[in-house]
Amino acid sequence: MLFDAPPIAREVQFDVEIRFPKENRYRPLGEVSPVIRTLATEQFDDYVKRVRIFAHPRIVAELRKVGNLPELLDRAISQTE
């Protein structure tokens, strides 16, 4: 089995600043674009920061029988923090 669990504290950051000539200053891209801010936080967490389990086909059927697997994984993750 292979567990793919991204670090909890890791976040995507867009360290890009956009120049606003009329204001004569730079502003962070996340401040300028709500779309970027959403992609970098909410959607990144929802779609990328997931715990994935890869298992050999021989043991997949046995893993599916473990009814509380998500609970076991949550407990294991909380003990490693």
Side-chain angles (χ1 to χ4, degrees), residues 4-66:
D4 176 22
I8 294 170
R10 172 103 7 126
E11 297 293 333
V12 168
Q13 296 180 3
F14 292 94
D15 293 329
V16 176
E17 296 203 347
I18 306 298
R19 172 105 169 104
F20 284 82
K22 290 182 181 179
E23 298 175 9
N24 195 27
R25 71 181 187 116
Y26 288 88
R27 291 172 53 194
L29 181 58
E31 179 184 308
V32 175
S33 171
V35 172
I36 294 296
R37 185 173 47 252
T38 300
L39 287 173
T41 56
E42 297 166 17
Q43 289 190 354
F44 181 76
D45 287 348
D46 292 345
Y47 296 103
V48 178
K49 286 180 68 174
R50 292 177 175 247
V51 174
R52 294 171 178 85
I53 302 172
F54 300 91
H56 192 278
R58 288 186 310 230
I59 64 170
V60 169
E62 292 300 316
L63 284 174
R64 288 189 175 138
K65 293 178 187 176
V66 180

